[in-house]
Each structure stands twice: as C-alpha cells, then as structure tokens.
Amino acid sequence: MKLSKYNRIQYIGDDTIIYNTATSGVLMLDKKYSEEFRKLQEFNNFSNEKLVTELKKAQIVLDDSVDEVKNVQLSNLVNRFDSTRLSLTIAPTLECNFACPYCYEEGVRYNDMDSSIQDGIIDFIKDHKTISRLSVCWYGGEPLLKLDIIRNLTNRILENLGDLNYSAAIVTNGYLLNKDVALELKELKINSVQVTIDGVKEIHNLRRKLVSGEGTFDTIINNLKECCEIIPIVVRINVDRTNIAGVNSLVEFFEESGLLNKIKFYLAPVDDMNSSCKNKNCFDMKEFSEEEINFYQSCLKRGVRSFQIPKSYFGICGAVSLNSYVIDPKGDLYKCWDEIGRYESSVGNVLTGVESNSRLADWLLHNPGMENEECRECDVLPICYGGCAYHIMKKGDHKCSSIRFNSEKVVELLYNDR
Amino acid sequence: MEWLNKPETIKPETTCLIRVCSTRDDGACPRHSCGIQACLTKACYMNFSN
C-alpha cells in the first residue's frame, strides 16, 4: 500500500483533514485517528483496518501497483474519446442586444441561422450513429433573440431523437428572459439557464449595457424574480479588478430581493481572450483564488454555501473531446467557444461534415497533462489536467484551477460549516 | 472519522474502455475475467493493474 500523490493534508486543532483531488473525497480524522494516520505516514503502518478501509474509499491509499498519473491520463483519454455522447453548442445567431466592453466575439460575423443550416444540424446529429446521449447548449450572440430558431430546432431534434437521452441548457444575458419565455424553455427541455450579472446596478450597467447604451440591471433582476421558480437559474458573476469590490454588495442585494436562496451563483474571472483586458484588469488565478474565498465567506455569513469541492474532470472540455462541436449560424463547426464565428478556426461545416484538418488534430491531440512536467507532477492534475486548452494553445500559458491555490481555505470553510 | 465531502460515487455504466483498449472480440475487459461486464467499470480501470 502507498499514499496517493493527490492527497492534500492539513491540520486544524487535533484534527487531520485529507483532501484527495482525484476523487474529491475530504475525510476528517479526529485525534485518535490522526495519530493512526501519522503512523501510516511515518512508518508505512497500514495495520489499522478500519482507517485503511475509509482511506481506500477516496483512494487516499492505494495498492503499490497503481500508477496514478497513468490512470489520470487514461481517464482523460477514455472520456475525451467517448463516442456515445454528442455535445453541441449551437448559436442560432451571433447578433447581440448587448455591447459588453470585454466581449470576445467582437468583430465576428453577425448573422442568423437559416433553414438549410438547421436541416444540416439534424442530419449532422443523425450521422453520429454511435451516440446514446445528446446534449445541447444554446449560445450566441444572444440566443433568445432567435427563440423561433431554438423552438424549431428543438422540436425537430426531439422528433428525431428515438432512444437518445437528451438534455439542454442555455447561456443568455437574461434581458429577454420573462415568464412566458421561461415556460417555453422548460417545454423545450432546457433544464438550466445561465445568466451573467457583473455587480450591483451601478457597476453592472457600466459593463453590461444595451447596444443603445442603456442599462440592463433592473430588467434582468425582474426577469430572474419572475423565472427563478420556473426554471433553474445559475448567475455567473464576471469579475476583474474593476468590479470585485462590489461583489459583496451584489450578494447583499440578492438577499434583500429574495433571490439568494432561489438561484445559484458563482464568480468567474474575466478572461483575456481577445486582449479585452487592455488595462491589465484581469486577475491572475492566484489573485482570483483569494477573491473566491472572500466571496465564499461572504455567502456563508448569509447562510449560503456557494462553493463545493471541485470534481476531477480530468481536463475534459468540449474543445478537446471527439464528439463535441460549437456550431455558428453559418453551420461552421468549431472546437472551442472562444473561436465561434472565426471561420479561419473552423473544423468543418454541418453541411459538408467534419474536416480532418490540422486544427482538429491539434485539439484532439492536446495533452498538456502529460507533456508539461509541472502539470504532470502537480497534485491537482486530476482536476485541471493542464487547464484551459485554448489558453495553452493560443496564448502559451497554463490557466490553473483556482483550487490549486485555495484548497486549504476551501477545506477549512467546509470544516467550519459542517 | 467523518466525510466532509464524500468521494465521487463510482458509476460502472458511465465509462467504457472497449474502444480504447479491448483486444478481445467479445468486448470483455482485456485485463480482467469479469466476463459478464462488457464495460470496464471505473473502479476497474482506476486499479488497472490489479
């Protein structure tokens, strides 16, 4: 037997807390078992069966023959090349009613999806004969500007679904999400809505404004109140150095307006995808991880646990997975959301099929978790596997998971909130 | 001992290694004699050398 290299061990008072990043298991040992665990660490003494049985459940201890790094790589490959699933991110339009200053879709072709492309999507799905699960994420531009296309395509997908397991979600700015729309989205099997809010009214309206320049906060909040009991809503709070100070006020606002316990929300760092952070306002991950802890603490004070131990997903994202595509209104296929509408990055079209071009090969062969020594040896490898593939391939840097920097604090919050 | 966060539940049906590693025509796990299971379970491949 041996200890896992993915254990993060910390001590609070007499207790020992062990977090295994490969299984997400967090085990607390009291004084008595802490002593036993120390023996195990120091003298390789695995004789306490009760302790070892528990430790094994989270792979905190393993058989000597197990090569954990290889197992992580294997999990990455198996899940990436699973041909039983097809994940499509579909943008019915790239038009948007907002003009956010940090939008990475700036300069892309603003057009809507015509019926020939919708036909092509249905055929594209049918051509994937090995799938048993289909998941769709409606995206844009602002997808609710073209609810008619979402309606038509969903109905056609459902008609042709057969035995396929189907799930759908939508990413929207929330401006057009009223009660009737929410009811229709539910009818259309959309089971999750992501809306972005950037802070309290004054801050949000500076950043997430209509093309006309008008603010959008009041409308979005009213829409959330109308819809949050109809359909699950997740609020993404985009933060950088310019708006982080207002995040606590936003949580307070959610509490005052009765939304706090009716929606889920999380912080996300604004990312420099297209030099949108010209003024160096983006956080690096270490800074962001500290802000995240402040945010979690603020939520906990209000009785809401807004954090969880991240699941190990072995670096799987749609961009590096075999059966996952982003489809723009022209039917062009992309691997990464951040490339939508940029034809030079496409890997085919729904009308002509997937092209085996070098761009596709680059995504599918992307393997930073094994090729980069720092990542390969990192104890959060099972969670991020080298981080965002787009970052590495296009910008040459590794965007680590925030848990790499703040796991000790997260575990401490978990411990105190138990 | 207390679990503050339970380890991820093993779901045998979620992952199939056949296309990746099986060398057997019947699709059974190449490294184990579990026989009736065509899919390697997660528990199985996480302890691949057992």
Side-chain angles (χ1 to χ4, degrees):
Chain A
M1 299 287 290
K2 64 181 178 184
L3 281 160
S4 165
K5 65 183 294 172
Y6 299 127
N7 293 335
R8 286 192 157 192
I9 301 165
Q10 64 194 80
Y11 307 96
I12 304 177
D14 290 334
D15 296 334
T16 302
I17 325 290
I18 312 160
Y19 162 38
N20 184 279
T21 62
T23 62
S24 314
V26 181
L27 182 64
M28 184 189 80
L29 305 177
D30 59 15
K31 190 176 179 182
K32 176 186 146 200
Y33 281 107
S34 291
E35 285 302 316
E36 292 293 317
F37 186 68
R38 279 206 187 107
K39 280 186 216 164
L40 189 151
Q41 284 178 293
E42 287 171 27
F43 308 111
N44 278 336
N45 181 344
F46 293 87
S47 61
N48 188 319
E49 273 184 41
K50 197 173 173 192
L51 175 63
V52 170
T53 301
E54 285 304 297
L55 297 177
K56 273 184 170 178
K57 286 180 186 169
Q59 295 173 20
I60 293 166
V61 297
L62 305 146
D63 288 335
D64 288 325
S65 56
V66 175
D67 185 324
E68 290 182 277
V69 178
K70 281 184 182 170
N71 279 347
V72 171
Q73 186 179 22
L74 192 57
S75 298
N76 173 277
L77 289 173
V78 167
N79 287 288
R80 279 169 71 173
F81 293 98
D82 180 357
S83 60
T84 65
R85 289 178 295 192
L86 177 62
S87 301
L88 300 178
T89 299
I90 305 174
T93 180
L94 287 183
E95 192 189 337
C96 189
N97 47 352
F98 279 22
C100 309
Y102 53 67
C103 181
Y104 62 82
E105 291 182 15
E106 187 188 358
V108 301
R109 302 167 299 172
Y110 297 107
N111 42 259
D112 302 337
M113 186 175 278
D114 67 26
S115 59
S116 70
I117 301 301
Q118 294 176 49
D119 293 343
I121 290 176
I122 299 300
D123 291 339
F124 186 74
I125 294 169
K126 286 181 181 170
D127 285 345
H128 285 77
K129 298 187 192 309
T130 60
I131 62 170
S132 57
R133 278 180 290 170
L134 171 64
S135 59
V136 169
C137 181
W138 300 102
Y139 188 60
E142 172 46 42
L144 288 183
L145 286 172
K146 294 295 162 188
L147 184 56
D148 55 330
I149 296 177
I150 296 175
R151 183 187 304 125
N152 181 48
L153 254 176
T154 301
N155 288 333
R156 293 186 62 192
I157 289 170
L158 295 177
E159 280 164 19
N160 287 280
L161 205 56
D163 295 333
L164 286 186
N165 182 314
Y166 179 75
S167 64
I170 188 167
V171 178
T172 166
N173 57 36
Y175 195 77
L176 299 173
L177 182 70
N178 58 37
K179 188 178 173 186
D180 290 340
V181 170
L183 287 168
E184 177 157 15
L185 295 182
K186 200 175 171 189
E187 284 280 304
L188 295 172
K189 309 277 184 204
I190 291 172
N191 49 26
S192 173
V193 178
Q194 183 190 293
V195 175
T196 302
I197 294 180
D198 277 10
V200 287
K201 185 173 177 176
E202 298 71 30
I203 295 170
H204 176 93
N205 283 347
L206 282 175
R207 298 155 66 98
R208 296 187 68 78
K209 50 196 172 190
L210 292 173
V211 175
S212 64
E214 210 179 314
T216 61
F217 186 83
D218 290 339
T219 303
I220 294 172
I221 293 297
N222 285 336
N223 289 347
L224 295 186
K225 286 179 183 171
E226 256 186 43
C227 303
C228 66
E229 290 181 21
I230 298 171
I231 194 161
I233 294 175
V234 180
V235 171
R236 174 186 167 112
I237 308 170
N238 285 338
V239 291
D240 57 26
R241 292 192 180 98
T242 64
N243 71 335
I244 189 68
V247 166
N248 283 347
S249 306
L250 180 63
V251 176
E252 200 176 308
F253 175 82
F254 284 155
E255 189 175 31
E256 286 165 4
S257 56
L259 281 168
L260 193 65
N261 293 302
K262 294 182 179 169
I263 54 172
K264 289 185 176 170
F265 46 90
Y266 70 101
L267 281 193
V270 174
D271 215 347
D272 188 13
M273 287 301 181
N274 62 354
S275 300
S276 52
C277 289
K278 295 182 181 78
N279 298 322
K280 307 282 180 200
N281 287 327
C282 286
F283 287 119
D284 66 37
M285 257 312 171
K286 200 168 180 191
E287 289 171 308
F288 176 72
S289 69
E290 288 163 13
E291 299 299 343
E292 228 178 13
I293 295 297
N294 294 336
F295 173 69
Y296 296 156
Q297 285 171 331
S298 168
C299 294
L300 272 177
K301 275 183 200 160
R302 294 175 169 82
V304 172
R305 188 189 277 190
S306 59
F307 63 94
Q308 58 181 11
I309 297 295
K311 285 191 169 32
S312 53
Y313 71 103
F314 306 107
I316 320 294
C317 78
V320 300
S321 299
L322 180 69
N323 269 355
S324 182
Y325 300 97
V326 179
I327 305 175
D328 78 4
K330 290 282 184 193
D332 288 327
L333 302 166
Y334 303 87
K335 292 303 290 174
C336 178
W337 289 29
D338 295 330
E339 295 187 325
I340 193 166
R342 302 184 194 280
Y343 177 73
E344 65 278 11
S345 301
S346 70
V347 295
N349 185 286
V350 290
L351 300 178
T352 52
V354 178
E355 286 172 27
S356 293
N357 59 30
S358 64
R359 291 185 291 275
L360 179 67
D362 285 345
W363 286 112
L364 296 181
L365 293 172
H366 180 68
N367 193 19
M370 292 301 117
E371 288 166 3
N372 180 289
E373 196 181 342
E374 189 185 348
C375 294
R376 192 171 59 241
E377 296 306 319
C378 180
D379 62 3
V380 296
L381 179 72
I383 293 174
C384 85
Y385 203 79
C388 170
Y390 185 91
H391 259 265
I392 299 170
M393 290 169 67
K394 309 293 176 185
K395 297 163 68 73
D397 63 343
H398 287 259
K399 188 181 164 196
C400 299
S401 165
S402 58
I403 199 75
R404 180 181 181 193
F405 307 107
N406 65 15
S407 78
E408 195 174 330
K409 293 275 186 196
V410 171
V411 168
E412 198 177 313
L413 292 177
L414 197 63
Y415 176 87
N416 291 329
D417 191 46
R418 71 190 191 278
Chain B
M1 280 184 284
E2 183 187 338
W3 288 103
L4 301 184
N5 195 60
K6 288 192 174 164
E8 196 183 329
T9 311
I10 292 162
K11 293 179 183 167
E13 76 282 8
T14 56
T15 307
C16 176
L17 278 179
I18 293 168
R19 289 172 306 281
V20 178
C21 72
S22 179
T23 53
R24 286 171 52 161
D25 291 335
D26 62 3
C29 166
R31 297 287 299 274
H32 295 251
S33 54
C34 43
I36 53 165
Q37 281 194 311
C39 295
L40 284 175
T41 66
K42 190 166 186 181
C44 176
Y45 74 74
M46 293 303 277
N47 295 288
F48 204 63
S49 55
N50 288 350

